[in-house]
RNA sequence: GGUGAGGUGGCUGAGUGGUCGAAAGCACAUCUUUGCUAAAGAUGCGUAGCCUUAACAGCUACCGAGGGUUCGAAUCCCUCCCUCACCGCCA
């Protein structure tokens, strides 16, 4: 969330920056400021009364010790106590409301984030490789998956409904091979520590990373235990250090985690899309970094490079775009999307979204570090997919299909897959 | 799930109603001295909020969480959470 002090000092600047996301936040900002005003005056009054009570209570204690009659004082303090309760309720209510409002305000886009209305205005930063060409009509992954008995959408629907899939045989093996390949790459070559995290999380964790309170309708929730299925490993992994004060010389912290991701995709227009493109459950290897404000910009570049490396090693054509202010995520200050080419789709698929959240998540989860001078400061958090598996699966089988429908995987996967041929 | 023990500052660990934000030790930081791969001494050393400020200072809250009793709660009562041990169950 945003720093209330920044809101107090530069409300117009805040409104202006938020405006670039689309939508008008000025009423919300003004409401926060007026609540803040009320909260502080109630708080000041309460503390003054508490101070009075502490002083008089001590007098009572000492008076009793000396055998004096303290009943008049006791009556007076009782009255003060009643007023403390009263004003305290006001202060607490204002505080709760202020927090609630602050949690619903998105992050400020980074100064370098291109201003734009929608995805159409996202600039393309770079491309790698070229669009592969075929002297036959390339099939899509659904056809290929069915040809080789790798993907069973009917079984997925039978078990859990639409937008769930069952991987079979070489399909299941390829998925597992990719998970291991990605984890090995990031832990061995890129210096991330591997994390195996719970696939469910408490509400506090989701508030910390920003999925709650605003986007609860996108989450699967187990009401009996009040736990949420994680929509991304970002949630458990970033929250690993919630409410901690880290040592500056231990930063950056770099984590890589494989988890499945669960998303309700409520109201998503694209849910009817064919195949693996948009599922309620998909696998992902996520990269998370916790760093200092000074280094977060550079860490975003290297994080993105780490994710790109995946596609380079697999020989898949991709491009990197930057999300403009109108398309950027709720908590993000700056985001690069990596899109891989899928020949069977004839389009690019987003396989990674690398974001710098600045101190936005850190404030929500009270994640700080002690700097060189011993001062506590909020960390900066980043994350990016390295990469999403389902769409990578799509790009791989569609890119490396042969005229007869067989698939010849890149050699680098051989030790993981146990060969390179499917079909 | 059952029974028992326990949750205090970075760590260990005192503290059962009042000058306790909390003894002591360790760790850490700065300084001093002796001197050299160390010892001794002094001082300092939690977090957040409020009010101010150039800054210091001051005030308030926080002893797992939330409620209650009381003029006053780390301390008494209630509920919950977590940790450990044993039992039960189980991949």
């Amino acid at each position: 969330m945003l720093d209330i002090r920044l809101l107090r000092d530069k409300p117009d600047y805040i409104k202006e920056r938020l405006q670039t996301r689309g939508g008008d936040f000025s009423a919300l900002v003004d409401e926060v400021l007026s609540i803040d005003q009320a909260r502080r005056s109630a708080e000041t009054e309460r503390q003054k009364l508490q101070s009075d009570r502490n002083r008089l209570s001590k007098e009572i204690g000492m008076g009793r010790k000396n055998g004096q009659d303290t009943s008049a004082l006791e009556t007076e303090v009782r009255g003060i106590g009643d007023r403390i309760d009263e004003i305290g309720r006001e202060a607490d209510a204002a505080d709760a409301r202020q927090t609630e409002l602050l949690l619903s305000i998105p992050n400020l886009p980074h100064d370098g984030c291109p201003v734009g209305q929608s995805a159409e205005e996202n600039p393309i930063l770079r491309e790698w490789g070229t669009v592969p060409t075929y002297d036959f009509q390339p099939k899509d992954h659904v056809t290929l998956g069915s040809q080789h008995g790798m993907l069973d959408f009917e079984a997925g629907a039978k078990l859990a409904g639409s937008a769930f899939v069952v991987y079979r045989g070489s399909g299941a093996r390829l998925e597992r091979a990719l998970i291991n390949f990605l984890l090995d790459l990031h832990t061995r070559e890129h210096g991330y520590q591997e994390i195996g995290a719970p696939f469910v999380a408490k509400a506090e964790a989701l508030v910390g990373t920003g999925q709650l309170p605003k986007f609860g309708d996108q989450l699967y929730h187990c009401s009996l235990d009040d736990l949420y299925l994680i929509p991304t490993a970002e949630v458990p992994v970033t929250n690993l250090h919630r409410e901690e004060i880290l040592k500056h010389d231990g930063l950056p912290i770099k984590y890589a985690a494989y988890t499945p991701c669960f998303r309700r995709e409520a109201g998503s227009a694209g849910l009817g899309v064919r195949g693996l493109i948009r599922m309620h459950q998909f696998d992902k290897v996520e990269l998370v970094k916790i760093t200092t404000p000074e280094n977060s910009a550079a860490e975003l570049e290297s994080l993105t490079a780490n994710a790109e490396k995946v596609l380079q090693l697999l020989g898949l054509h991709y491009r990197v775009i930057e999300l403009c202010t109108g398309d950027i995520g709720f908590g993000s200050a700056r985001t690069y999307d990596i899109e891989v080419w899928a020949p069977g789709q004839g389009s690019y698929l987003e396989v990674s979204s690398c974001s710098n959240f600045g101190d936005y998540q850190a404030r929500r989860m009270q994640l700080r570090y002690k700097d060189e001078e011993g001062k506590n400061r909020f960390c900066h958090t980043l994350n990016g997919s390295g990469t999403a598996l389902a769409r990578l699966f799509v790009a791989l089988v569609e890119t490396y299909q042969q005229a007869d429908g067989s698939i010849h995987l890149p050699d680098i996967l051989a030790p993981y897959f146990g060969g390179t041929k499917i079909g």
Side-chain angles (χ1 to χ4, degrees), chain A residues 58-248:
Chain A
K58 263 177 199 169
E59 277 180 35
I60 292 170
M62 286 190 284
R64 282 201 182 173
K65 216 169 256 174
N66 299 330
Q68 292 163 356
D69 176 24
T70 56
S71 53
L73 267 180
E74 285 175 31
T75 309
E76 186 185 349
V77 178
R78 196 175 296 130
I80 293 176
D82 292 342
R83 285 170 60 203
I84 289 174
D85 288 346
E86 210 175 300
I87 196 83
R89 269 192 293 274
E90 268 177 49
D92 289 344
D95 188 64
R97 178 67 181 148
Q98 179 173 327
T99 302
E100 185 188 338
L101 290 172
L102 280 175
L103 288 176
S104 71
I105 298 177
N107 199 4
L108 299 182
H110 188 273
D111 288 338
C113 182
V115 174
Q117 305 262 312
S118 68
E120 275 86 75
E121 294 176 56
N122 294 338
I124 297 171
L125 298 184
R126 55 185 171 272
E127 293 188 33
W128 189 90
T130 52
V131 176
T133 54
Y134 301 86
D135 50 15
F136 56 92
Q137 180 63 39
K139 303 184 177 99
D140 81 351
H141 67 283
V142 178
T143 307
L144 293 164
S146 141
Q147 178 178 333
H148 301 296
M150 296 192 292
L151 300 174
D152 191 339
F153 292 95
E154 290 71 25
K158 180 177 179 179
L159 293 168
S162 67
F164 287 93
V165 69
V166 170
Y167 292 87
R168 279 184 192 279
S170 53
R173 186 152 47 96
L174 177 55
E175 184 77 358
R176 178 163 55 86
L178 288 171
I179 292 167
N180 288 332
F181 165 66
L182 295 174
L183 285 173
D184 281 352
L185 172 66
H186 296 307
T187 57
R188 291 179 187 165
E189 308 295 326
H190 298 152
Y192 292 78
Q193 184 184 38
E194 182 170 346
I195 298 292
F199 301 161
V200 293
K202 298 180 187 179
E204 297 97 273
L206 288 132
V207 169
T209 35
Q211 286 78 14
L212 287 178
K214 272 201 96 169
F215 308 105
D217 62 345
Q218 296 300 326
L219 301 168
Y220 288 99
H221 179 234
C222 313
S223 57
L224 204 55
D225 298 295
D226 195 20
L227 289 170
Y228 295 83
L229 269 62
I230 56 170
T232 159
E234 164 195 354
V235 175
V237 176
T238 313
N239 275 284
L240 234 31
H241 296 288
R242 64 179 291 111
E243 289 166 36
E244 288 185 11
I245 300 175
L246 305 168
K247 296 200 171 76
H248 66 84

Side-chain angles (χ1 to χ4, degrees), chain A residues 226-301:
Chain A
D226 195 20
L227 289 170
Y228 295 83
L229 269 62
I230 56 170
T232 159
E234 164 195 354
V235 175
V237 176
T238 313
N239 275 284
L240 234 31
H241 296 288
R242 64 179 291 111
E243 289 166 36
E244 288 185 11
I245 300 175
L246 305 168
K247 296 200 171 76
H248 66 84
D249 54 12
L251 300 177
I253 291 172
K254 299 163 68 176
Y255 291 134
Y258 155 74
T259 68
C261 302
F262 303 92
R263 302 186 179 179
R264 293 191 62 238
E265 302 290 355
S268 173
L271 205 106
V273 78
R274 185 172 144 90
L276 288 174
I277 310 297
R278 190 180 298 276
M279 310 292 290
H280 286 312
Q281 177 186 330
F282 62 95
D283 291 317
K284 180 157 64 68
V285 168
E286 184 76 359
L287 305 175
V288 171
K289 287 185 180 181
I290 299 171
T291 184
T292 61
E294 290 73 26
N295 294 332
S296 71
E299 294 292 353
L300 176 62
E301 301 304 320

Side-chain angles (χ1 to χ4, degrees), chain A residues 340-413:
Chain A
V340 69
W341 179 256
Q345 313 296 306
S347 66
Y348 289 95
L349 299 176
E350 179 192 331
V351 283
S352 180
S353 194
C354 303
S355 299
N356 183 357
F357 294 84
D359 63 9
Y360 187 83
Q361 292 181 325
R363 281 182 193 282
R364 286 175 162 249
M365 63 178 81
Q366 285 294 302
L367 166 56
R368 291 166 293 174
Y369 73 100
K370 222 173 250 304
D371 69 12
E372 290 83 344
E373 282 146 23
K375 273 193 67 178
N376 293 334
R377 302 168 71 196
F378 286 105
C379 298
H380 277 201
T381 59
L382 303 94
N383 68 61
S385 339
T387 62
L389 268 289
R391 291 177 184 172
L392 185 65
F393 189 109
V394 171
L396 266 177
V397 302
E398 292 186 359
T399 297
Y400 290 110
Q401 63 179 298
Q402 311 298 311
D404 63 356
S406 69
I407 296 159
H408 192 170
L409 295 168
D411 289 341
I412 197 164
L413 288 178

